[in-house]
Amino acid sequence: MSNCIVCQQPGIKEFLDLGETTLANKFIKKEEIGYSEPMFPLTVGFCENCGHVQLMEIVPPPAMFDHYLYISSLSETLKNHLHDLATKVVERCSLTSDDLAVDIGSNDGTLLSGFLKHGVKVLGVDPAANLAELAREKGVETFTGYFGEETATKLKAEYGPASVLTSTNSFPHIPDLNDFVKGIAIMLSDSGAMFIEAHYLRDLLEQNAFDTIYHEHCSYWGLTAAQHLFNRHGLEVVNVERMPLHHGQLRMTIQRQGTSTPTAAVMQMLADEKEIGMDKLSTYEAFAKEALKLKEELNATIQKAKAEGKRVVGYGAPAKGNTLLTFLGIGPEHLDYIADRSPLKQGRYTPGTHIPVVPAEKILEDQPDYVLLLAWNFAEEIMGQQSEYRERGGKFIIPVPKVQVV
Ligand code: ZN
C-alpha cells in the first residue's frame, strides 16, 4: 500500500513492526494444525499530511469478516453499553416509529435490538453471514455485505434514508474509507446524524496498547484525521466524547456540514491532539519503544514463573491476544491453555501459536498458579467472575498498560 487511506497522498512513515502474524481472529481446529496458515506483515505507519495512523499493508476484508467469531452480546459490559447508546440516540434525536436506524457492522444485532425496544425501524449491515442469522433471531433485519457507495444506493432505494447511522467498532476495519463515507453521505437523511465509536488513538498511545494493533484494524483513529476524512465528503464531526469502554473509545457525532455548529468539545479535542504531539512522527516512535520495553518485561515475568515450576495459563481469547502472543513469542510451552467464555472459540487453537482454547470453568477446576489476562480491557469484569480463583491464591498477570501481578 502506498497512499494514505484518508487523504490519498503518498509518503506514510512506518514506525512499528510487529512482525509477520496470522489473522488474529482465525482460531483453528485441531486437524488444521500443521497446515500452513497465511501470514501477513503487521507494520504501522503515520501520514504526515493528514495525521492518520494506519497499517502499512492491508489484508482484503473478505479474508477476515465473511465469517466472524466475535459476538457482541457475549460480554455483559458491551451489551449494556450498546443498549445504553441506543437509548441515548433515541432520546437525543427524538426518534419515532417513522425513523430508520441503520447499524453498519451490526454483528449479532445487539445494538439494533436496543433501538427496536423503542419502536424505531432498524436495519443491520454486516458481511458475516453467520452473525446475520443470530441477528434475525433477535428480530433485526440484516443485509449481508459491505457498506459503501454501492450498498448505500441500493439500501436507500429500498428502505429510504436513515435518520440515524451507527457504527461501533467497525470504523477501524474499513480500508476503502472514501467509498465508505460516500455511502454515509448517500444514506443519511438531510438532518440525520451518524454516531461512530472506535478506539481512540490517544488512549492507545497512553496505555501502550500495541496489542490492539492487528490486521482487522487498518485505522487507529484520532479526531484530526477523522475530521479531515468527513470534510472531504461534505460532512463534519459536530460532537465528541471519550468513553472508558474497551481500552478507551472515541464517540463521534457526524452530520452534514452546516447542519449544526460543532461543540466546544470538538475544538478542545483538536487542540489537545496537537498539544500532546499526535501530529508528530516522534510521538509514534516513542510509543514503539515502549512496546518493545513491555515485551521484555512480560517475557521476563513469564519466564521467571516457568523457571520456578509454576503453571501459567491464559484467560480471554480476544483477537488482540494473538498480537501479544506472536509479538512476545508465547506458545503452548508457556501457556497450557487459554480459557474463554465464547463457545465459538472453545475447542479451537490460537492462530499461529496453537494454544488450546477451553471453557472458562477450567480455571477453577484446575487452579493454575498464574493466569495471563489477554482480555485486559475487561480486567475488572473478568476478575469479578473469577474471584474464587483469586481467593484460593491464584494470581492474574495483567500485561497492558504495564505488567502487574495481582
Ligand atoms: Zn493522510
PDB file of all heavy atoms in Angstrom, residues 341-367:
ATOM      1  N   ARG A 341     -14.985 -17.615  27.401  1.00  0.00           N
ATOM      2  CA  ARG A 341     -16.413 -17.916  27.527  1.00  0.00           C
ATOM      3  C   ARG A 341     -17.098 -18.156  26.190  1.00  0.00           C
ATOM      4  O   ARG A 341     -18.229 -18.598  26.156  1.00  0.00           O
ATOM      5  CB  ARG A 341     -17.126 -16.759  28.246  1.00  0.00           C
ATOM      6  CG  ARG A 341     -16.746 -16.648  29.701  1.00  0.00           C
ATOM      7  CD  ARG A 341     -17.382 -15.425  30.326  1.00  0.00           C
ATOM      8  NE  ARG A 341     -18.776 -15.691  30.697  1.00  0.00           N
ATOM      9  CZ  ARG A 341     -19.652 -14.749  30.991  1.00  0.00           C
ATOM     10  NH1 ARG A 341     -19.322 -13.482  30.932  1.00  0.00           N
ATOM     11  NH2 ARG A 341     -20.880 -15.052  31.334  1.00  0.00           N
ATOM     12  N   SER A 342     -16.449 -17.825  25.074  1.00  0.00           N
ATOM     13  CA  SER A 342     -17.129 -17.945  23.781  1.00  0.00           C
ATOM     14  C   SER A 342     -17.131 -19.389  23.283  1.00  0.00           C
ATOM     15  O   SER A 342     -16.082 -19.969  22.998  1.00  0.00           O
ATOM     16  CB  SER A 342     -16.450 -17.059  22.737  1.00  0.00           C
ATOM     17  OG  SER A 342     -16.962 -17.396  21.460  1.00  0.00           O
ATOM     18  N   PRO A 343     -18.333 -19.975  23.142  1.00  0.00           N
ATOM     19  CA  PRO A 343     -18.405 -21.354  22.643  1.00  0.00           C
ATOM     20  C   PRO A 343     -17.846 -21.495  21.223  1.00  0.00           C
ATOM     21  O   PRO A 343     -17.434 -22.583  20.821  1.00  0.00           O
ATOM     22  CB  PRO A 343     -19.901 -21.673  22.654  1.00  0.00           C
ATOM     23  CG  PRO A 343     -20.618 -20.429  23.042  1.00  0.00           C
ATOM     24  CD  PRO A 343     -19.629 -19.384  23.441  1.00  0.00           C
ATOM     25  N   LEU A 344     -17.795 -20.393  20.463  1.00  0.00           N
ATOM     26  CA  LEU A 344     -17.267 -20.467  19.097  1.00  0.00           C
ATOM     27  C   LEU A 344     -15.740 -20.628  19.082  1.00  0.00           C
ATOM     28  O   LEU A 344     -15.160 -21.044  18.086  1.00  0.00           O
ATOM     29  CB  LEU A 344     -17.642 -19.213  18.302  1.00  0.00           C
ATOM     30  CG  LEU A 344     -19.124 -19.014  18.016  1.00  0.00           C
ATOM     31  CD1 LEU A 344     -19.352 -17.725  17.252  1.00  0.00           C
ATOM     32  CD2 LEU A 344     -19.690 -20.192  17.227  1.00  0.00           C
ATOM     33  N   LYS A 345     -15.100 -20.263  20.189  1.00  0.00           N
ATOM     34  CA  LYS A 345     -13.639 -20.375  20.239  1.00  0.00           C
ATOM     35  C   LYS A 345     -13.193 -21.611  21.001  1.00  0.00           C
ATOM     36  O   LYS A 345     -12.108 -22.133  20.745  1.00  0.00           O
ATOM     37  CB  LYS A 345     -13.043 -19.116  20.876  1.00  0.00           C
ATOM     38  CG  LYS A 345     -13.180 -17.902  19.961  1.00  0.00           C
ATOM     39  CD  LYS A 345     -12.630 -16.633  20.571  1.00  0.00           C
ATOM     40  CE  LYS A 345     -12.790 -15.476  19.604  1.00  0.00           C
ATOM     41  NZ  LYS A 345     -12.472 -14.184  20.213  1.00  0.00           N
ATOM     42  N   GLN A 346     -14.016 -22.083  21.933  1.00  0.00           N
ATOM     43  CA  GLN A 346     -13.648 -23.265  22.717  1.00  0.00           C
ATOM     44  C   GLN A 346     -13.452 -24.469  21.798  1.00  0.00           C
ATOM     45  O   GLN A 346     -14.204 -24.664  20.848  1.00  0.00           O
ATOM     46  CB  GLN A 346     -14.757 -23.575  23.734  1.00  0.00           C
ATOM     47  CG  GLN A 346     -14.859 -22.521  24.820  1.00  0.00           C
ATOM     48  CD  GLN A 346     -16.178 -22.572  25.574  1.00  0.00           C
ATOM     49  OE1 GLN A 346     -16.977 -23.486  25.368  1.00  0.00           O
ATOM     50  NE2 GLN A 346     -16.421 -21.591  26.425  1.00  0.00           N
ATOM     51  N   GLY A 347     -12.425 -25.261  22.100  1.00  0.00           N
ATOM     52  CA  GLY A 347     -12.137 -26.425  21.262  1.00  0.00           C
ATOM     53  C   GLY A 347     -11.233 -26.085  20.090  1.00  0.00           C
ATOM     54  O   GLY A 347     -10.756 -26.958  19.388  1.00  0.00           O
ATOM     55  N   ARG A 348     -11.001 -24.793  19.882  1.00  0.00           N
ATOM     56  CA  ARG A 348     -10.095 -24.376  18.804  1.00  0.00           C
ATOM     57  C   ARG A 348      -8.721 -24.029  19.373  1.00  0.00           C
ATOM     58  O   ARG A 348      -8.504 -24.099  20.586  1.00  0.00           O
ATOM     59  CB  ARG A 348     -10.690 -23.188  18.052  1.00  0.00           C
ATOM     60  CG  ARG A 348     -11.912 -23.595  17.226  1.00  0.00           C
ATOM     61  CD  ARG A 348     -12.459 -22.429  16.435  1.00  0.00           C
ATOM     62  NE  ARG A 348     -13.549 -22.871  15.584  1.00  0.00           N
ATOM     63  CZ  ARG A 348     -13.495 -22.888  14.246  1.00  0.00           C
ATOM     64  NH1 ARG A 348     -12.431 -22.462  13.614  1.00  0.00           N
ATOM     65  NH2 ARG A 348     -14.520 -23.313  13.543  1.00  0.00           N
ATOM     66  N   TYR A 349      -7.819 -23.607  18.489  1.00  0.00           N
ATOM     67  CA  TYR A 349      -6.451 -23.270  18.873  1.00  0.00           C
ATOM     68  C   TYR A 349      -6.122 -21.866  18.377  1.00  0.00           C
ATOM     69  O   TYR A 349      -6.615 -21.451  17.326  1.00  0.00           O
ATOM     70  CB  TYR A 349      -5.471 -24.294  18.260  1.00  0.00           C
ATOM     71  CG  TYR A 349      -5.617 -25.655  18.887  1.00  0.00           C
ATOM     72  CD1 TYR A 349      -6.705 -26.468  18.559  1.00  0.00           C
ATOM     73  CD2 TYR A 349      -4.706 -26.109  19.837  1.00  0.00           C
ATOM     74  CE1 TYR A 349      -6.874 -27.715  19.155  1.00  0.00           C
ATOM     75  CE2 TYR A 349      -4.863 -27.342  20.434  1.00  0.00           C
ATOM     76  CZ  TYR A 349      -5.951 -28.150  20.095  1.00  0.00           C
ATOM     77  OH  TYR A 349      -6.109 -29.366  20.701  1.00  0.00           O
ATOM     78  N   THR A 350      -5.275 -21.154  19.134  1.00  0.00           N
ATOM     79  CA  THR A 350      -4.923 -19.799  18.718  1.00  0.00           C
ATOM     80  C   THR A 350      -4.154 -19.856  17.392  1.00  0.00           C
ATOM     81  O   THR A 350      -3.310 -20.741  17.208  1.00  0.00           O
ATOM     82  CB  THR A 350      -4.051 -19.096  19.783  1.00  0.00           C
ATOM     83  OG1 THR A 350      -2.924 -19.937  20.083  1.00  0.00           O
ATOM     84  CG2 THR A 350      -4.845 -18.841  21.056  1.00  0.00           C
ATOM     85  N   PRO A 351      -4.464 -18.934  16.483  1.00  0.00           N
ATOM     86  CA  PRO A 351      -3.801 -18.955  15.177  1.00  0.00           C
ATOM     87  C   PRO A 351      -2.296 -18.704  15.317  1.00  0.00           C
ATOM     88  O   PRO A 351      -1.877 -17.865  16.108  1.00  0.00           O
ATOM     89  CB  PRO A 351      -4.482 -17.813  14.413  1.00  0.00           C
ATOM     90  CG  PRO A 351      -5.126 -16.939  15.444  1.00  0.00           C
ATOM     91  CD  PRO A 351      -5.427 -17.823  16.614  1.00  0.00           C
ATOM     92  N   GLY A 352      -1.511 -19.465  14.604  1.00  0.00           N
ATOM     93  CA  GLY A 352      -0.057 -19.254  14.613  1.00  0.00           C
ATOM     94  C   GLY A 352       0.640 -19.864  15.812  1.00  0.00           C
ATOM     95  O   GLY A 352       1.632 -20.571  15.669  1.00  0.00           O
ATOM     96  N   THR A 353       0.090 -19.627  17.028  1.00  0.00           N
ATOM     97  CA  THR A 353       0.778 -20.081  18.245  1.00  0.00           C
ATOM     98  C   THR A 353       0.226 -21.415  18.778  1.00  0.00           C
ATOM     99  O   THR A 353       0.866 -22.053  19.617  1.00  0.00           O
ATOM    100  CB  THR A 353       0.683 -19.002  19.342  1.00  0.00           C
ATOM    101  OG1 THR A 353      -0.676 -18.562  19.422  1.00  0.00           O
ATOM    102  CG2 THR A 353       1.560 -17.815  19.017  1.00  0.00           C
ATOM    103  N   HIS A 354      -0.981 -21.807  18.354  1.00  0.00           N
ATOM    104  CA  HIS A 354      -1.571 -23.132  18.631  1.00  0.00           C
ATOM    105  C   HIS A 354      -1.735 -23.477  20.105  1.00  0.00           C
ATOM    106  O   HIS A 354      -1.408 -24.579  20.542  1.00  0.00           O
ATOM    107  CB  HIS A 354      -0.766 -24.225  17.920  1.00  0.00           C
ATOM    108  CG  HIS A 354      -0.639 -23.972  16.448  1.00  0.00           C
ATOM    109  ND1 HIS A 354       0.317 -24.539  15.655  1.00  0.00           N
ATOM    110  CD2 HIS A 354      -1.369 -23.171  15.623  1.00  0.00           C
ATOM    111  CE1 HIS A 354       0.185 -24.113  14.410  1.00  0.00           C
ATOM    112  NE2 HIS A 354      -0.831 -23.268  14.370  1.00  0.00           N
ATOM    113  N   ILE A 355      -2.252 -22.545  20.877  1.00  0.00           N
ATOM    114  CA  ILE A 355      -2.590 -22.816  22.280  1.00  0.00           C
ATOM    115  C   ILE A 355      -4.073 -23.190  22.321  1.00  0.00           C
ATOM    116  O   ILE A 355      -4.901 -22.498  21.731  1.00  0.00           O
ATOM    117  CB  ILE A 355      -2.324 -21.565  23.154  1.00  0.00           C
ATOM    118  CG1 ILE A 355      -0.846 -21.157  23.028  1.00  0.00           C
ATOM    119  CG2 ILE A 355      -2.704 -21.821  24.604  1.00  0.00           C
ATOM    120  CD1 ILE A 355      -0.540 -19.781  23.594  1.00  0.00           C
ATOM    121  N   PRO A 356      -4.443 -24.304  22.993  1.00  0.00           N
ATOM    122  CA  PRO A 356      -5.856 -24.709  23.000  1.00  0.00           C
ATOM    123  C   PRO A 356      -6.740 -23.727  23.782  1.00  0.00           C
ATOM    124  O   PRO A 356      -6.318 -23.196  24.814  1.00  0.00           O
ATOM    125  CB  PRO A 356      -5.840 -26.080  23.682  1.00  0.00           C
ATOM    126  CG  PRO A 356      -4.548 -26.162  24.414  1.00  0.00           C
ATOM    127  CD  PRO A 356      -3.575 -25.269  23.689  1.00  0.00           C
ATOM    128  N   VAL A 357      -7.949 -23.492  23.274  1.00  0.00           N
ATOM    129  CA  VAL A 357      -8.923 -22.632  23.965  1.00  0.00           C
ATOM    130  C   VAL A 357      -9.948 -23.548  24.631  1.00  0.00           C
ATOM    131  O   VAL A 357     -10.516 -24.431  23.987  1.00  0.00           O
ATOM    132  CB  VAL A 357      -9.624 -21.671  22.984  1.00  0.00           C
ATOM    133  CG1 VAL A 357     -10.605 -20.768  23.732  1.00  0.00           C
ATOM    134  CG2 VAL A 357      -8.598 -20.829  22.225  1.00  0.00           C
ATOM    135  N   VAL A 358     -10.141 -23.336  25.932  1.00  0.00           N
ATOM    136  CA  VAL A 358     -11.028 -24.210  26.721  1.00  0.00           C
ATOM    137  C   VAL A 358     -12.107 -23.366  27.400  1.00  0.00           C
ATOM    138  O   VAL A 358     -11.989 -22.140  27.474  1.00  0.00           O
ATOM    139  CB  VAL A 358     -10.213 -24.989  27.791  1.00  0.00           C
ATOM    140  CG1 VAL A 358      -9.075 -25.790  27.161  1.00  0.00           C
ATOM    141  CG2 VAL A 358      -9.661 -24.028  28.846  1.00  0.00           C
ATOM    142  N   PRO A 359     -13.181 -23.991  27.926  1.00  0.00           N
ATOM    143  CA  PRO A 359     -14.213 -23.223  28.631  1.00  0.00           C
ATOM    144  C   PRO A 359     -13.667 -22.520  29.881  1.00  0.00           C
ATOM    145  O   PRO A 359     -12.709 -23.006  30.499  1.00  0.00           O
ATOM    146  CB  PRO A 359     -15.257 -24.280  29.020  1.00  0.00           C
ATOM    147  CG  PRO A 359     -15.020 -25.414  28.081  1.00  0.00           C
ATOM    148  CD  PRO A 359     -13.543 -25.412  27.805  1.00  0.00           C
ATOM    149  N   ALA A 360     -14.295 -21.406  30.240  1.00  0.00           N
ATOM    150  CA  ALA A 360     -13.833 -20.579  31.365  1.00  0.00           C
ATOM    151  C   ALA A 360     -13.806 -21.351  32.685  1.00  0.00           C
ATOM    152  O   ALA A 360     -12.968 -21.076  33.554  1.00  0.00           O
ATOM    153  CB  ALA A 360     -14.720 -19.341  31.485  1.00  0.00           C
ATOM    154  N   GLU A 361     -14.677 -22.332  32.835  1.00  0.00           N
ATOM    155  CA  GLU A 361     -14.796 -23.104  34.088  1.00  0.00           C
ATOM    156  C   GLU A 361     -13.497 -23.843  34.431  1.00  0.00           C
ATOM    157  O   GLU A 361     -13.241 -24.179  35.585  1.00  0.00           O
ATOM    158  CB  GLU A 361     -15.924 -24.143  33.997  1.00  0.00           C
ATOM    159  CG  GLU A 361     -17.324 -23.552  33.913  1.00  0.00           C
ATOM    160  CD  GLU A 361     -17.640 -22.926  32.563  1.00  0.00           C
ATOM    161  OE1 GLU A 361     -17.084 -23.402  31.542  1.00  0.00           O
ATOM    162  OE2 GLU A 361     -18.416 -21.952  32.525  1.00  0.00           O
ATOM    163  N   LYS A 362     -12.708 -24.093  33.408  1.00  0.00           N
ATOM    164  CA  LYS A 362     -11.461 -24.851  33.581  1.00  0.00           C
ATOM    165  C   LYS A 362     -10.526 -24.203  34.618  1.00  0.00           C
ATOM    166  O   LYS A 362      -9.792 -24.902  35.329  1.00  0.00           O
ATOM    167  CB  LYS A 362     -10.761 -24.953  32.217  1.00  0.00           C
ATOM    168  CG  LYS A 362      -9.444 -25.676  32.204  1.00  0.00           C
ATOM    169  CD  LYS A 362      -9.568 -27.150  31.913  1.00  0.00           C
ATOM    170  CE  LYS A 362      -8.178 -27.769  31.722  1.00  0.00           C
ATOM    171  NZ  LYS A 362      -8.223 -29.222  31.742  1.00  0.00           N
ATOM    172  N   ILE A 363     -10.567 -22.876  34.714  1.00  0.00           N
ATOM    173  CA  ILE A 363      -9.694 -22.162  35.661  1.00  0.00           C
ATOM    174  C   ILE A 363      -9.920 -22.655  37.094  1.00  0.00           C
ATOM    175  O   ILE A 363      -8.967 -22.939  37.816  1.00  0.00           O
ATOM    176  CB  ILE A 363      -9.954 -20.627  35.592  1.00  0.00           C
ATOM    177  CG1 ILE A 363      -9.687 -20.088  34.193  1.00  0.00           C
ATOM    178  CG2 ILE A 363      -9.163 -19.871  36.653  1.00  0.00           C
ATOM    179  CD1 ILE A 363      -8.252 -19.854  33.835  1.00  0.00           C
ATOM    180  N   LEU A 364     -11.185 -22.800  37.482  1.00  0.00           N
ATOM    181  CA  LEU A 364     -11.475 -23.222  38.856  1.00  0.00           C
ATOM    182  C   LEU A 364     -11.228 -24.711  39.062  1.00  0.00           C
ATOM    183  O   LEU A 364     -10.766 -25.133  40.125  1.00  0.00           O
ATOM    184  CB  LEU A 364     -12.928 -22.896  39.212  1.00  0.00           C
ATOM    185  CG  LEU A 364     -13.177 -21.496  39.757  1.00  0.00           C
ATOM    186  CD1 LEU A 364     -14.615 -21.370  40.210  1.00  0.00           C
ATOM    187  CD2 LEU A 364     -12.227 -21.164  40.907  1.00  0.00           C
ATOM    188  N   GLU A 365     -11.518 -25.507  38.042  1.00  0.00           N
ATOM    189  CA  GLU A 365     -11.282 -26.955  38.141  1.00  0.00           C
ATOM    190  C   GLU A 365      -9.798 -27.226  38.346  1.00  0.00           C
ATOM    191  O   GLU A 365      -9.402 -28.158  39.022  1.00  0.00           O
ATOM    192  CB  GLU A 365     -11.696 -27.654  36.832  1.00  0.00           C
ATOM    193  CG  GLU A 365     -13.196 -27.782  36.642  1.00  0.00           C
ATOM    194  CD  GLU A 365     -13.547 -28.130  35.192  1.00  0.00           C
ATOM    195  OE1 GLU A 365     -12.669 -28.646  34.461  1.00  0.00           O
ATOM    196  OE2 GLU A 365     -14.691 -27.865  34.794  1.00  0.00           O
ATOM    197  N   ASP A 366      -8.994 -26.369  37.735  1.00  0.00           N
ATOM    198  CA  ASP A 366      -7.580 -26.633  37.560  1.00  0.00           C
ATOM    199  C   ASP A 366      -6.688 -25.861  38.530  1.00  0.00           C
ATOM    200  O   ASP A 366      -5.606 -26.301  38.878  1.00  0.00           O
ATOM    201  CB  ASP A 366      -7.266 -26.180  36.126  1.00  0.00           C
ATOM    202  CG  ASP A 366      -6.220 -27.023  35.496  1.00  0.00           C
ATOM    203  OD1 ASP A 366      -6.206 -28.220  35.797  1.00  0.00           O
ATOM    204  OD2 ASP A 366      -5.432 -26.490  34.702  1.00  0.00           O
ATOM    205  N   GLN A 367      -7.156 -24.666  38.914  1.00  0.00           N
ATOM    206  CA  GLN A 367      -6.413 -23.769  39.814  1.00  0.00           C
ATOM    207  C   GLN A 367      -4.927 -23.641  39.448  1.00  0.00           C
ATOM    208  O   GLN A 367      -4.029 -24.003  40.232  1.00  0.00           O
ATOM    209  CB  GLN A 367      -6.596 -24.246  41.269  1.00  0.00           C
ATOM    210  CG  GLN A 367      -6.205 -23.222  42.328  1.00  0.00           C
ATOM    211  CD  GLN A 367      -7.058 -21.948  42.320  1.00  0.00           C
ATOM    212  OE1 GLN A 367      -8.234 -21.950  41.945  1.00  0.00           O
ATOM    213  NE2 GLN A 367      -6.467 -20.831  42.692  1.00  0.00           N
TER     214      GLN A 367
END
